[in-house]
Amino acid sequence: MAYGVDGATGNGAGNGNGISRLPGLGGKGKYGRIGDELVEHNPERGSQSRRYVFACAIFASLNSVLLGYDVGVMSGCILFIQKDLHITEVQQEILVGCLSIISLIGSLAAGRTSDAIGRKWTIGLAAIIFQIGAAVMAFAPSFRVLIIGRLLAGVGIGFGVMIAPVYIAEISPTVSRGSFTSFPEIFINLGILLGYISNYAFSDLSEHINWRIMLGIGILPSVFIGFALLVIPESPRWLVLQNRVDEARSVLMKITENKEQVEKRLAEIEEAAGGAKGTKEKAVWMEFLSPSPALGRMLITGIGIQCFQQITGIDATVYYSPTIFRDAGIKSDNKLLAATVAVGFTKTVFILVAIMLIDRVGRKPLLYVSTVGMTVCLFTLALALTLLGHGLVSLKAGLLVAILSVCGNVAFFSVGIGPVCWVLSSEIYPLRLRAQAAALGSVGNRVSSGMIAMSFLSLCRILSVAGAFFIFSAISAVSVIFVYVYVPETKGKSLEQIEMLFQSGREWQRVEVELGDVEHLVQKEHIDQRHSITVS
């Protein structure tokens, strides 16, 4: 029987922790099977391990609040920074977009850093760098100093946005890996909402003070990360890569349901990590430059989905939502910021829907719903703004359609491509390459985000706001095709099975049917053994 590197059996009858239920043997759920051995199932211990992994996933995701808060708060701050520091439109674009561009340095460095000092301490390093940057921004006397703080914050965000999904994927059981790995996206959305609320709450203060308070509050989430580092363990997979097997075993005792299962999982991790120990950085990057066909497909899928997440214009929608609503007819700053709060609330609510569905419905169906829905909403928004601009609809009707379209766009984003992007990036790569391959994907994500953020106002000036969103809707339509061609369904599959999918090229359906046949045979094997034991 094949096992994934996360220790889960490759069949649908298991519970995702490498143990398969035999409900007819000694009472429902009392025993499980690991390979050819029968072990006792401990519901109380299983509940404790799940709660522990849940807590670790939350603490590891705290850095994502920083990214979300910065995205949300800057949409309002830029209105007051412009008035206080008298910056130009080009400077606005640089200020907004430079964080995403510079964060690629953090993402690239995080791959190597997390392999050197560990996943856990990379999370801490990200928080420290961001804190310094946020403090510099809050007290910046000029645009130049503000940019310096923004660049530092960007490096910290680059570290955090890359390492959290990797860490969570490496400690999570298969059955809940999708949900847990989506936690960073939840916290990004929570941060965006908090940023919008902060904008609205402090907008009545003087223009010299309000934006500084808005940016300074961003320091608070990173303070809690210091406490988180005292709670969360190091990834057992990284510990095995460092030959710290006893420490890895200790961590597995906390996150694994059954004591007998620990040694099995440890053996599987050691086998998966066998080629990774002692591998030099240069060798890993040479493998990226000359990838095998399977790795090439993984990189196309991982980097491609990361880029499409951003080039469909989500950051433009979030960063510049006041600009969009002003173009639709809202003139008051307070009303503009209040409308953005509605956008942030919608984005946060629908990410929770994704978390509930991602391990039930699957990754690919959510991506289809998301990309098709975004395409429709972006086209509708562009059409509404065009009709408003030509006076073909009433202001009230056009404004209502524009607000609903923006909210619909962020809702469809949060249901699918927002969280699924990070889930796929954390589970499609083999252990030896996972951190640095995920870093490459994060670079694509951040570069795409920066390009959109730094060019949106100029694009609007050339084509109009409506024209910019017609382009985004066309790109979103292309993303639907990309999902169909390059993205396999990974729900409920061990990491070994996911690797098999990429080794088979684009023949996703045939291989998934074969895996389904294997699962059926394994389930039949369990039933036959149960009957055999009952008869004896």
Side-chain angles (χ1 to χ4, degrees):
M1 185 181 298
Y3 287 81
V5 296
D6 57 353
T9 57
N11 63 76
N15 71 345
N17 283 330
I19 189 168
S20 300
R21 294 285 175 262
L22 296 178
L25 185 59
K28 184 176 181 180
K30 184 177 181 181
Y31 288 90
R33 183 170 184 232
I34 305 179
D36 296 324
E37 300 178 19
L38 296 179
V39 295
E40 186 173 358
H41 169 49
N42 187 335
E44 182 179 352
R45 179 177 171 82
S47 178
Q48 290 176 348
S49 66
R50 284 190 295 273
R51 286 198 298 268
Y52 185 72
V53 174
F54 178 84
C56 290
I58 288 179
F59 284 131
S61 302
L62 289 177
N63 268 320
S64 299
V65 176
L66 307 178
L67 172 58
Y69 184 83
D70 183 272
V71 170
V73 79
M74 189 54 69
S75 67
C77 280
I78 198 70
L79 300 175
F80 305 110
I81 292 173
Q82 180 186 18
K83 297 174 181 177
D84 184 30
L85 300 182
H86 308 290
I87 61 177
T88 66
E89 186 178 273
V90 173
Q91 287 176 320
Q92 289 181 58
E93 289 182 321
I94 293 174
L95 182 63
V96 170
C98 70
L99 181 137
S100 295
I101 295 294
I102 202 66
S103 66
L104 70 87
I105 295 177
S107 292
L108 278 175
R112 186 170 183 175
T113 303
S114 66
D115 282 342
I117 67 174
R119 288 25 170 169
K120 172 181 175 177
W121 295 110
T122 302
I123 292 173
L125 179 62
I128 292 172
I129 297 174
F130 181 87
Q131 281 181 320
I132 296 173
V136 171
M137 285 192 292
F139 294 100
S142 65
F143 176 75
R144 181 176 298 179
V145 177
L146 185 62
I147 285 292
I148 293 174
R150 187 85 169 146
L151 296 179
L152 285 172
V155 173
I157 284 175
F159 270 92
V161 79
M162 172 266 157
I163 194 58
V166 170
Y167 173 83
I168 296 170
E170 291 187 350
I171 66 169
S172 299
T174 296
V175 72
S176 54
R177 187 177 63 230
S179 296
F180 284 153
T181 312
S182 299
F183 277 22
E185 186 67 19
I186 294 179
F187 281 77
I188 288 176
N189 284 274
L190 178 61
I192 290 173
L193 179 58
L194 292 175
Y196 285 156
I197 293 173
S198 176
N199 285 338
Y200 185 72
F202 298 108
S203 60
D204 288 333
L205 298 178
S206 73
E207 294 170 356
H208 181 68
I209 298 296
N210 56 8
W211 64 268
R212 299 178 187 277
I213 295 177
M214 294 173 189
L215 292 174
I217 288 176
I219 298 174
L220 297 179
S222 60
V223 173
F224 294 101
I225 297 173
F227 172 74
L229 294 177
L230 301 176
V231 176
I232 65 174
E234 183 53 82
S235 162
R237 282 140 184 88
W238 182 81
L239 292 171
V240 169
L241 290 176
Q242 304 301 312
N243 293 312
R244 293 159 61 177
V245 178
D246 290 339
E247 293 177 57
R249 183 181 290 108
S250 177
V251 174
L252 286 171
M253 290 291 291
K254 297 178 181 179
I255 66 175
T256 303
E257 179 177 338
N258 193 289
K259 291 183 179 180
E260 290 84 350
Q261 190 184 1
V262 170
E263 294 303 323
K264 288 287 185 180
R265 293 188 66 179
L266 189 59
E268 291 153 13
I269 294 171
E270 288 185 294
E271 181 180 356
K277 294 178 181 179
T279 300
K280 293 185 179 297
E281 177 79 11
K282 182 178 179 180
V284 173
W285 285 99
M286 286 300 292
E287 192 166 346
F288 289 150
L289 293 175
S290 182
S292 65
L295 178 59
R297 295 182 190 105
M298 293 175 186
L299 291 172
I300 290 173
T301 300
I303 297 175
I305 200 69
Q306 289 274 12
C307 291
F308 272 113
Q309 190 205 50
Q310 293 299 327
I311 61 177
T312 47
I314 188 62
D315 274 4
T317 305
V318 174
Y319 274 127
Y320 296 109
S321 52
T323 300
I324 298 168
F325 293 139
R326 179 181 285 130
D327 196 67
I330 299 178
K331 302 304 179 184
S332 165
D333 284 349
N334 277 348
K335 290 181 179 179
L336 285 173
L337 297 179
T340 62
V341 172
V343 174
F345 181 77
T346 303
K347 202 169 187 296
T348 303
V349 168
F350 278 88
I351 187 65
L352 299 178
V353 175
I355 299 309
M356 292 187 290
L357 295 178
I358 194 167
D359 283 317
R360 298 180 183 180
V361 175
R363 283 59 155 158
K364 199 161 184 174
L366 289 182
L367 283 175
Y368 279 136
V369 170
S370 176
T371 51
V372 172
M374 288 169 61
T375 301
V376 173
C377 289
L378 288 166
F379 183 83
T380 303
L381 173 62
L383 185 61
L385 293 175
T386 300
L387 295 176
L388 274 171
H390 290 82
L392 299 177
V393 294
S394 67
L395 178 61
K396 185 176 181 180
L399 181 58
L400 178 62
V401 172
I403 293 175
L404 290 177
S405 297
V406 171
C407 290
N409 182 51
V410 298
F412 280 113
F413 176 89
S414 295
V415 161
I417 198 170
V420 173
C421 166
W422 299 106
V423 173
L424 283 173
S425 296
S426 66
E427 66 186 6
I428 64 175
Y429 301 112
L431 175 60
R432 184 171 69 87
L433 306 173
R434 186 174 300 141
Q436 295 180 56
L440 273 180
S442 295
V443 168
N445 183 284
R446 294 294 86 205
V447 169
S448 300
S449 172
M451 289 173 60
I452 295 299
M454 295 181 73
S455 63
F456 180 74
L457 292 178
S458 298
L459 189 64
C460 290
R461 187 172 62 251
I462 297 170
L463 298 178
S464 78
V465 176
F469 280 98
F470 274 126
I471 292 177
F472 290 145
S473 69
I475 295 173
S476 184
V478 175
S479 72
V480 180
I481 301 172
F482 178 85
V483 170
Y484 175 78
V485 175
Y486 289 106
V487 179
E489 180 54 71
T490 59
K491 181 198 74 166
K493 293 177 177 61
S494 70
L495 302 184
E496 277 186 346
Q497 289 178 329
I498 294 172
E499 189 171 353
M500 286 173 57
L501 291 176
F502 284 96
Q503 288 173 350
S504 68
R506 299 183 194 174
E507 300 171 351
W508 310 127
Q509 291 183 328
R510 180 181 64 78
V511 177
E512 287 180 355
V513 168
E514 291 176 356
L515 292 176
D517 290 340
V518 173
E519 293 171 3
H520 176 74
L521 290 174
V522 172
Q523 291 171 13
K524 185 177 183 298
E525 176 190 350
H526 288 170
I527 294 172
D528 290 344
Q529 177 164 347
R530 184 183 67 194
H531 289 324
S532 174
I533 294 174
T534 302
V535 171
S536 64

